[in-house]
Amino acid sequence: MLLQNTRNFEGLKNNGTRSGSESILFFSFDDSRHVTPEYKKLRGFEKVFLNPGEETRVSTNISLRDARYVGPHNDRHFILQDGMKFQVGIGPYADCRNNIGLCSEFINIDAGSDYEGACDIACKLWERSSCKWMTPEKCWSMCTLSNVPGSDGWGWNYVDCLEGILDNPQPPKGEICTIMTAYCRDVFKTSLPVVNMCSEKNNGIFGRIPVGDDVIYDLTATLATVISLLIVLSLCIRKNPPRTLSGTRKMAGGFETVNNNDLDE
């Protein structure tokens, strides 16, 4: 048996005198990507049976989902890479990087110049939440427009926060749009009310609205958030300064009054 029409990979003919079957294997060979790719990855296969002189067409489909890989940001999210190139080779001995065997021309991934992996995943999470405040188009526009050179749109901490809410077996009570907006980031600029963050009722300095114990907070979403928490912490300390314990210890020639820090030494 042999393959014909190497560009389209669609002509398979039995040139022998006996009937037989053949397994057609399709492999991908990435030209380059942000993390080290697999040298050769099986993408599909098809087993065909042909009589002598019979021919048929074979093909495989490689979707954008197949082109995703775990990016350099973390080890949990599959993303695309705009401009990534790969080839498809047929047969177990194909090696497209060294031009060995039957190989396609380069196939390019066009994800768009504004593509950001964090925006991709965040918008899928918003779509999963069924929140009517956010449509896929609106989400993508808001996230990518917030991007600045060197950033990831809303960022991966924001993605982790959304996942923490949606995957929580005991999610916070309330309307999902409000919860995701208040606990992670107010991307809608809704000016949700802020509670007394020094109150023990609201778990110390953390929280923007009354919360439960199972909420996952995104404390590093923005530099402004971190600065705000530090300011609130300093105000809490000023309001309730720590008490100093006093004591004595015996010294050569007499006794000395010390505070609790010195007593620990």
Side-chain angles (χ1 to χ4, degrees):
M1 291 187 177
L2 58 87
L3 286 170
Q4 298 175 334
N5 196 340
T6 59
R7 173 171 294 190
N8 297 319
F9 302 135
E10 58 183 18
L12 178 66
K13 183 178 182 179
N14 183 355
N15 286 335
T17 59
R18 296 182 180 182
S19 300
S21 60
E22 182 74 12
S23 295
I24 311 302
L25 307 178
F26 297 88
F27 295 91
S28 67
F29 298 81
D30 291 339
D31 179 59
S32 63
R33 69 185 190 193
H34 292 157
V35 295
T36 303
E38 303 89 355
Y39 190 88
K40 183 177 183 178
K41 186 172 183 178
L42 181 65
R43 292 297 188 178
F45 66 91
E46 184 175 347
K47 190 170 185 177
V48 296
F49 180 88
L50 296 176
N51 294 314
E54 185 180 4
E55 62 180 285
T56 187
R57 299 174 63 181
V58 292
S59 63
T60 190
N61 293 319
I62 299 179
S63 66
L64 281 177
R65 181 177 181 180
D66 297 322
R68 291 176 176 272
Y69 64 92
V70 177
H73 47 277
N74 59 32
D75 59 356
R76 295 185 295 110
H77 299 99
F78 287 83
I79 64 170
L80 293 172
Q81 177 182 323
D82 183 49
M84 188 178 76
K85 299 189 301 181
F86 66 93
Q87 292 176 279
V88 176
I90 292 184
Y93 304 108
D95 186 352
C96 296
R97 291 188 177 183
N98 293 309
N99 296 319
I100 298 175
L102 301 174
C103 299
S104 73
E105 297 178 347
F106 279 107
I107 301 171
N108 297 312
I109 300 297
D110 184 9
S113 59
D114 62 345
Y115 178 82
E116 288 292 347
C119 293
D120 186 2
I121 305 301
C123 291
K124 282 181 170 59
L125 292 169
W126 272 104
E127 185 176 5
R128 172 185 157 191
S129 74
S130 300
C131 173
K132 296 182 180 179
W133 294 3
M134 186 76 85
T135 63
E137 296 78 13
K138 181 178 180 180
C139 180
W140 186 259
S141 176
M142 292 171 61
C143 185
T144 54
L145 287 177
S146 70
N147 188 30
V148 295
S151 72
D152 299 308
W154 287 331
W156 289 103
N157 286 329
Y158 181 72
V159 170
D160 291 339
C161 181
L162 296 181
E163 289 179 331
I165 293 174
L166 296 177
D167 295 337
N168 194 334
Q170 295 181 334
K173 295 181 180 180
E175 202 276 327
I176 189 63
C177 301
T178 302
I179 292 172
M180 293 172 67
T181 300
Y183 291 171
C184 296
R185 182 186 295 182
D186 190 358
V187 296
F188 300 103
K189 311 299 182 183
T190 58
S191 301
L192 290 174
V194 179
V195 299
N196 179 7
M197 295 190 291
C198 292
S199 171
E200 294 181 359
K201 178 180 178 181
N202 293 309
N203 301 320
I205 65 170
F206 306 119
R208 297 190 62 187
I209 60 177
V211 298
D213 296 331
D214 299 318
V215 177
I216 298 178
Y217 297 94
D218 180 19
L219 301 180
T220 58
T222 62
L223 180 60
T225 302
V226 176
I227 294 174
S228 298
L229 292 174
L230 292 176
I231 293 174
V232 171
L233 179 59
S234 65
L235 291 176
C236 291
I237 293 175
R238 290 182 181 180
K239 183 178 179 181
N240 302 297
R243 292 178 299 174
T244 301
L245 299 178
S246 300
T248 58
R249 65 182 176 188
K250 189 174 182 179
M251 304 290 290
F255 291 88
E256 179 185 11
T257 300
V258 297
N259 59 30
N260 58 319
N261 293 326
D262 292 329
L263 289 173
D264 292 336
E265 296 180 355

